[in-house]
Amino acid sequence: MIAVTIVIPVYNAQRYLEDCIKSLMAQTMQSCEFIFVNDGSKDESQLIIEKYQKLDSRIILLNQENQGVSVARNNGISKAKGTYLGFVDADDYVSNDYFERLFEISKQTNSDILVTNFNTVSNDTIFSNVPIFEVGKVYTSKEIQEQLIPYFIKEDNLNPVWNKFYKTDVIKNYDIHFPKGIVIGEDGLFNLQAFNFAKSIFFTDYSGYFYREIENSAVRDVQNKDYFKIALQQYHYDYKYQFGVQLETNEIEKLKSIRFINNIMSLTNIYLNSNFSASQKKKYIKAMMNNEVVQKSIKKYWTEIMSNKSKYQQFILYCIKVKSFFLLQLATKYSNFRNK
């Protein structure tokens, strides 16, 4: 009987892959399987995994044609034999006792899902993140529905699967999977389903996961990904029909509108700092500001969206509301100047 299955999707990850593999091989828990799903990598990723596979029988390699991270993780889940299931990204790493600690906490609390704190690695700096919800507490079904599910629809920072530990039976019995064809936010939708069916969730402040932050990745990716189209796609999710969310329809609309406009705020900054030409930046941002869904959301939920925002953020929101690219550009330039 295997206690823990860890699924690691891999796509052109050779730069940091060995750090990830070595941290898994160093795990104090032996009753593990590490399922690496090579998603059609064109670099040396497959060869690296094969090299270490010869040294550790816990390493399993699945190869597939490039189909994206969601399909890779789903294929890994289908092969999972562990009582508990976890995920690691190929450019991250974990402490030596990470999965032993998670296994012990999960058994002690009998939680369907365990949420851990984590460390962010940025350049040469490592810092522990502040837990989002109360630690040392088991959240019941009622509390999950009243507090955690709304948070998933409104915010992004509870999304990652790599700082969660799941009972495999919960995932498989309810056919919880990563949605195909979604480029960004697939983690959050997986968790939304998992949390919706979970009977108990426990938060711990233990930080054994090291998330490697790739500097300015969104600014670079904007050349290849239409982030605004993705934000619109997320806004139009039918959370009731697709994911079984039990909230009232008007509450779901409010929560997803707040999230949508917060994403638009972030996108204005990403586009303005991108390598696009000045005319392209103006075209993209004006298209966002003039979009019917953007204007409807920001006007209908203006008070809620403005809540807990800084003066600068409130001004950016005002610029979007009145569709002023000139004021938005001026405010951003001033902010960048002050932050130098």
Side-chain angles (χ1 to χ4, degrees):
M1 187 70 172
I2 294 172
V4 176
T5 296
I6 305 303
V7 175
I8 310 98
V10 178
Y11 179 70
N12 293 346
Q14 65 178 29
R15 182 178 178 187
Y16 297 115
L17 183 55
E18 290 196 79
D19 290 345
C20 176
I21 296 175
K22 288 176 180 177
S23 77
L24 296 176
M25 291 176 64
Q27 289 302 296
T28 54
M29 185 171 213
Q30 293 303 307
S31 183
C32 295
E33 59 178 2
F34 306 122
I35 302 178
F36 288 82
V37 187
N38 175 35
D39 186 33
S41 295
K42 296 178 174 62
D43 63 359
E44 300 295 312
S45 292
Q46 180 176 337
L47 294 176
I48 292 170
I49 299 167
E50 288 173 344
K51 179 179 76 172
Y52 287 101
Q53 189 178 22
K54 295 173 184 176
L55 304 176
D56 195 323
S57 61
R58 295 175 295 177
I59 295 176
I60 298 167
L61 173 60
L62 303 179
N63 289 306
Q64 64 178 42
E65 293 182 0
N66 180 241
Q67 299 176 73
V69 67
S70 290
V71 175
R73 284 176 174 154
N74 288 338
N75 286 339
I77 293 171
S78 71
K79 303 294 183 182
K81 298 176 181 177
T83 304
Y84 290 91
L85 173 70
F87 299 91
V88 172
D89 281 357
D91 47 5
D92 300 336
Y93 59 96
V94 295
S95 59
N96 292 357
D97 65 344
Y98 185 58
F99 295 114
E100 184 170 8
R101 291 282 297 274
L102 300 195
F103 182 79
E104 290 173 352
I105 296 170
S106 295
K107 294 289 284 185
Q108 289 168 5
T109 60
N110 193 31
S111 50
D112 286 346
I113 302 174
L114 171 64
V115 184
T116 79
N117 199 17
F118 63 94
N119 305 289
T120 297
V121 182
S122 181
N123 296 322
D124 296 325
T125 304
I126 298 176
F127 58 91
S128 183
N129 292 269
V130 178
I132 300 171
F133 283 89
E134 182 182 345
V135 299
K137 171 184 175 177
V138 176
Y139 284 76
T140 63
S141 295
K142 185 174 185 291
E143 290 170 318
I144 292 167
Q145 293 299 325
E146 291 178 351
Q147 299 177 44
L148 305 185
I149 297 301
Y151 193 88
F152 269 112
I153 300 173
K154 183 183 175 185
E155 306 288 348
D156 292 315
N157 56 355
L158 195 58
N159 282 359
V161 292
W162 37 254
N163 73 323
K164 315 286 191 303
F165 202 55
Y166 311 83
K167 279 186 180 176
T168 306
D169 283 349
V170 173
I171 302 303
K172 291 195 172 185
N173 291 346
Y174 291 104
D175 189 28
I176 296 166
H177 56 276
F178 290 87
K180 299 178 184 179
I182 293 175
V183 182
I184 294 173
E186 70 286 340
D187 285 30
L189 296 177
F190 178 89
N191 276 321
L192 185 63
Q193 298 170 74
F195 277 53
N196 197 44
F197 288 113
K199 300 295 187 292
S200 59
I201 296 174
F202 186 80
F203 285 77
T204 174
D205 60 357
Y206 169 60
S207 299
Y209 192 97
F210 293 82
Y211 164 71
R212 201 185 300 271
E213 188 174 72
I214 310 300
E215 190 177 4
N216 294 326
S217 59
V219 174
R220 291 195 303 271
D221 286 351
V222 77
Q223 300 282 355
N224 305 312
K225 297 175 183 176
D226 188 338
Y227 279 93
F228 179 55
K229 182 179 178 180
I230 293 167
L232 275 173
Q233 181 188 42
Q234 291 176 330
Y235 174 83
H236 287 298
Y237 290 150
D238 187 333
Y239 287 98
K240 276 184 170 291
Y241 176 76
Q242 292 175 274
F243 307 112
V245 171
Q246 300 171 28
L247 294 174
E248 295 295 329
T249 301
N250 59 346
E251 181 67 12
I252 292 174
E253 182 190 349
K254 181 180 74 174
L255 294 171
K256 70 180 184 179
S257 294
I258 294 170
R259 177 179 182 164
F260 179 58
I261 296 302
N262 285 338
N263 286 337
I264 299 306
M265 284 180 61
S266 298
L267 287 178
T268 58
N269 184 60
I270 289 172
Y271 281 121
L272 284 171
N273 289 289
S274 71
N275 293 323
F276 285 132
S277 66
S279 60
Q280 285 177 311
K281 292 177 184 179
K282 185 175 182 178
K283 176 184 174 183
Y284 275 112
I285 292 172
K286 284 185 73 68
M288 284 196 302
M289 291 192 297
N290 289 315
N291 180 269
E292 182 181 354
V293 179
V294 172
Q295 287 300 316
K296 175 188 172 184
S297 297
I298 200 168
K299 289 173 182 175
K300 186 171 183 179
Y301 300 106
W302 178 250
T303 302
E304 292 88 347
I305 290 168
M306 289 285 278
S307 177
N308 298 318
K309 295 291 193 299
S310 67
K311 293 292 184 183
Y312 172 73
Q313 290 173 323
Q314 289 179 352
F315 187 73
I316 295 299
L317 285 167
Y318 171 78
C319 294
I320 296 170
K321 185 180 180 182
V322 300
K323 309 178 189 178
S324 176
F325 176 78
F326 172 74
L327 289 177
L328 179 66
Q329 193 175 36
L330 200 64
T332 304
K333 285 181 178 179
Y334 177 69
S335 177
N336 289 340
F337 172 77
R338 286 198 62 182
N339 292 328
K340 281 185 178 179

